[in-house]
Amino acid sequence: MGLPFDLLLAALREAALLESSAAILAWDQETMMPPGAVAHRADQLEQIAQLAHSLRTAPRVRELLAAAADDPRIAGDPHSPQARSLTEIRRRQERVDRLPADLVGRLAHATSLAQHHWAQARTAGDFAAFAPWLERIVALQREKAACLGASPGGEPWDALAEENEPGLTAAGFAAIFARLQPGLLALRDRIAASRVRPAPIDGRFPIAAQEAFVRFVAAQLGFDFERGRLDRSVHPFCGGSHPGDVRITTRYREQDLLDGLGSTMHEVGHGLYEQGLPEAAFGAPAGEAASLGMHESQSRLWENQVGRSAAFWRWAAPHARRHFPDAAEQLSESRLWHAANLVAPGPIRVDADEVHYDLHVAIRFELERALLRGDLPVAELPAAWNARTADLLGIAIANDRDGCLQDVHWSAGLFGYFPTYTLGNLYASQFWSAARAAIPDLGARIEAGRFAPLLGWLREHVHRHGHVDPAAEICRRATGSAADPAIRLRDLEQRLAPVYGL
Amino acid sequence: MGLPFDLLLAALREAALLESSAAILAWDQETMMPPGAVAHRADQLEQIAQLAHSLRTAPRVRELLAAAADDPRIAGDPHSPQARSLTEIRRRQERVDRLPADLVGRLAHATSLAQHHWAQARTAGDFAAFAPWLERIVALQREKAACLGASPGGEPWDALAEENEPGLTAAGFAAIFARLQPGLLALRDRIAASRVRPAPIDGRFPIAAQEAFVRFVAAQLGFDFERGRLDRSVHPFCGGSHPGDVRITTRYREQDLLDGLGSTMHEVGHGLYEQGLPEAAFGAPAGEAASLGMHESQSRLWENQVGRSAAFWRWAAPHARRHFPDAAEQLSESRLWHAANLVAPGPIRVDADEVHYDLHVAIRFELERALLRGDLPVAELPAAWNARTADLLGIAIANDRDGCLQDVHWSAGLFGYFPTYTLGNLYASQFWSAARAAIPDLGARIEAGRFAPLLGWLREHVHRHGHVDPAAEICRRATGSAADPAIRLRDLEQRLAPVYGL
């Protein structure tokens, strides 16, 4: 026997344990699973999702939740970690309780299959083949949003985004983006007017050597390979089941050294966050990531603030030359640094530079909002996508593969998700500014390949806090303010001005 | 709504579906999982084992089981496939119902951890480090056997073997082995007296080239890589979740070409059986392997009857030379064929030739029987192992790594298991004889790299039948007799006499 709050955590841990098994199956699906297993895997994931849901919605959980309020640590101090955790548990429980187990199962089944059909449709550039799956997923998402109930005056998007970024609404994101967009466009125009044009790195970079190189970098950044893996997948991601079992993936293109490295550093950032969560609190808010925006701040900070800095390349360039002796003459520090900061519009979000990236997010945000409201029929998505891309990026999409089929997210049921990437960019800039202020010689340390001080700062100010408090609160405590587009724009300016001589 | 028997199958399918998720986690544990996940994985497997057990023992399953007897296909024809399947379902259900969920969970947890500790102890050759784990596993196995209840006059071993080979008892196996042993020893002595000594294949065979070679062979034999995978693990095994997701593993030693090939052909045999099971009957007896002995017959037939034949090497030798051009002068058909049939005593079971293999099994059979009866304390296992090895094989064991720590089985809770390997040898010889009689030009086809006729015969006479009937019945129908040591000895003689000029 224990105190009710401890018993509640034990019950939630059981559900999280089962979900962590599904997470391994989902990782396996993207990295290892043979095609013959597609249908069976959907059945497996549906079953586990339903069983986990039934663990989360068991009457005993509700009883423990009610009893936990009387736990002396909670009743005696509404600001204790236990009390704040209970607030988060309640928020989540209210949502879970509104979802029928049947819908949870259908969603898991449909998204497992739809990802497979999306991948095939994307390879073929055949939107019509994917459209019925997307229709099914959108219908399921609308059904889910209806169960969850929108906030007063809200819209379906809000109910779904709440899962990824508690508290984020469509109106709230639109307001953030309205403050961000003019600055991004102005910076874009100044860069376009600059006479500096970084040369891309050309050549052939054998995949085996790239793999050795990015593994070396990942380990140096602090990724613990005893408690995680790095594999390949079509779309890089961070999965796994536990802080001791963190699985990141990346991809390689033989002609593009920076793509594989950037993808890896991005996922390493996610992985470091996961490996830094308090293991003993597995399944409790104290052991969970605070939000997807917070997660993305960690990936972006390592990918961008670190990975596109001159200091990083002063350290990394010699290692790059060592791994790719045949291309050594191209791999000078300044050339790599400039190439890593190339700003140019393009159709693909994951290839986008830091100035254009959030514009890609905005396109998806508008379109998924319309899909969920029912204002945009799935059949009209490609045309709407291409029109918005032309508007915002000045780019013509020739093939849906480079357009509305490029991202896995919607097939995976991830709606109300893309804007967390922009939020992550904002948080990353704020953490970076705060870490630089706290570690005065940070640049010199990075240049010396000493990443531990930065990782230590992130562990101390972000990772170890889990989700006891909301992401915005963690950010405020660490940086002095909530998500702030002005800080983001200042950080971008500081990173790009030296490259483009602005 | 459906007929009770169909509803019963649907309920069993749910349990099998969940168990198939655990199977992927178990595969992952041996192939992919980072060490930091050891404890968490044990928790995951314990939880899924308990949940699956609760699905199998749900009152509804018992109700459906009772109602199924009235299903018209069963009541109307006691020999129908449905009626025979129901017999098998009942047999299994009686066992499942006797096991407390708590014990099932503790077994899954302990064996997941013990495998890890066994692997470490084996690497270090440190039996003392493994002994407490083995004690725990033996105690759990005895507890399990007590729950299951031995047959009248039986012993704990029987209750455990029933899970692997329905109907096999310790007394029954001892009787089979008593008929086999004199023939094996006589053959061993004749070979020792022969003047022929096949030369082993020497050299360095790069792992990447070995991998390409064995993948080529696996595909030629019929393994479908769209419905399966081949990876590496310390101990080769066949896992996976479903006929569309069959996962075999192998291992490579740079100096030993035949080891990696033999391991692969063995696991391919298991994999072909799994891929050949009726997919639509997943979770029902009709979709399951008949027994471990039957499974082993399939692996051994491809490894030994095919893989050690002159016909096979006439086909395979040119492919070997193509993959290992630096060693080509050693890779003649006759040299490879002879090397594949090298008979010599050694300490390691998985390296044993066909004559000595079953002697290794006998050592384990006697010792695990004694462990389970409580006649042999775990602490005395190494001495007992070494004494029996000296007796039966004439070999001195210098390090427990080459003795009682060599096999993963006991750490994985696999007791009453090794003798199914010998049963597999017997079945394999019988299937081989029957297939040769049915396909008169089988040798010529194998020599031409045409393995489909043999695979077709196995699909027809073994794979497609699942476990509707007991293994012995399937064997009898396909070959005219139950497991018969005399046929085994004749087959061995036929394979080895031409090599050794007997």
Side-chain angles (χ1 to χ4, degrees), chain A residues 322-392:
Chain A
R322 179 164 62 83
H323 282 86
F324 308 99
D326 294 349
E329 79 288 350
Q330 284 201 72
L331 303 177
S332 70
E333 297 158 23
S334 71
R335 181 137 179 220
L336 283 161
W337 169 48
H338 276 72
N341 285 285
L342 189 58
V343 173
I348 304 292
R349 176 185 58 84
V350 295
D351 294 340
D353 58 73
E354 286 196 85
V355 176
H356 288 96
Y357 191 93
D358 297 306
L359 305 175
H360 287 270
V361 170
I363 294 168
R364 287 150 183 78
F365 167 63
E366 287 174 30
L367 296 176
E368 69 180 12
R369 220 176 147 181
L371 284 168
L372 291 170
R373 274 194 312 242
D375 294 348
L376 175 64
V378 163
E380 292 170 24
L381 176 64
W385 181 288
N386 297 352
R388 283 307 283 143
T389 304
D391 261 12
L392 213 50

Side-chain angles (χ1 to χ4, degrees), chain B residues 35-260:
Chain B
V38 165
H40 188 72
R41 180 57 48 88
D43 290 347
Q44 291 175 314
L45 290 173
E46 173 182 358
Q47 181 185 46
I48 295 185
Q50 286 190 321
L51 288 169
H53 186 75
S54 74
L55 292 180
R56 288 207 179 275
T57 53
R60 181 174 151 75
V61 171
R62 273 174 255 183
E63 289 160 25
L64 289 170
L65 198 58
D70 299 329
D71 188 292
R73 293 163 296 181
I74 292 166
D77 178 4
H79 301 294
S80 68
Q82 291 84 0
R84 284 139 60 208
S85 291
L86 186 62
T87 302
E88 165 55 19
I89 292 170
R90 271 208 204 95
R91 183 195 69 81
R92 184 167 168 175
Q93 189 68 32
E94 277 169 25
R95 288 173 58 81
V96 169
D97 284 340
R98 286 182 184 163
L99 295 178
D102 166 64
L103 174 61
V104 169
R106 281 185 290 133
L107 266 165
H109 193 270
T111 53
S112 175
L113 287 181
Q115 287 175 73
H116 173 73
H117 290 282
W118 161 77
Q120 292 195 317
R122 178 172 170 270
T123 303
D126 181 2
F127 180 77
F130 178 55
W133 290 98
L134 183 55
E135 269 164 15
R136 197 159 142 191
I137 301 285
V138 170
L140 285 166
Q141 295 296 325
R142 285 163 57 95
E143 187 179 342
K144 181 177 173 180
C147 292
L148 292 169
S151 52
E155 47 181 300
W157 193 92
D158 296 355
L160 301 174
E162 173 77 11
E163 187 159 314
N164 306 314
E165 196 69 33
L168 185 67
T169 62
F173 181 72
I176 288 176
F177 190 72
R179 290 176 57 205
L180 192 60
Q181 183 174 4
L184 292 177
L185 297 180
L187 186 55
R188 177 185 74 177
D189 294 342
R190 286 165 63 210
I191 288 172
S194 152
R195 274 184 303 185
V196 179
R197 272 299 80 195
I201 308 289
D202 285 325
R204 294 267 154 203
F205 301 91
I207 304 296
Q210 284 197 51
E211 191 165 332
F213 178 53
V214 305
R215 279 181 182 277
F216 168 76
V217 172
Q220 296 302 306
L221 298 183
F223 186 78
D224 182 353
F225 282 96
E226 294 287 299
R227 303 170 73 233
R229 294 180 53 88
L230 170 62
D231 295 277
R232 293 188 212 181
S233 65
V234 177
H235 288 263
F237 67 96
C238 173
S241 68
H242 180 261
D245 188 7
V246 176
R247 303 186 177 198
I248 59 176
T249 69
T250 192
R251 59 172 186 180
Y252 306 99
R253 296 176 183 159
E254 204 178 26
Q255 73 285 10
D256 192 344
L257 171 62
L258 295 179
D259 182 58

Side-chain angles (χ1 to χ4, degrees), chain B residues 3-5 20 25 38 96 136 147 153 191 243 253 262-263 268 274 391 431 437 486:
Chain B
L3 291 166
F5 182 69
S20 80
L25 295 181
V38 165
V96 169
R136 197 159 142 191
C147 292
I191 288 172
R253 296 176 183 159
S263 293
V268 162
E274 290 287 323
D391 262 9
F431 291 138

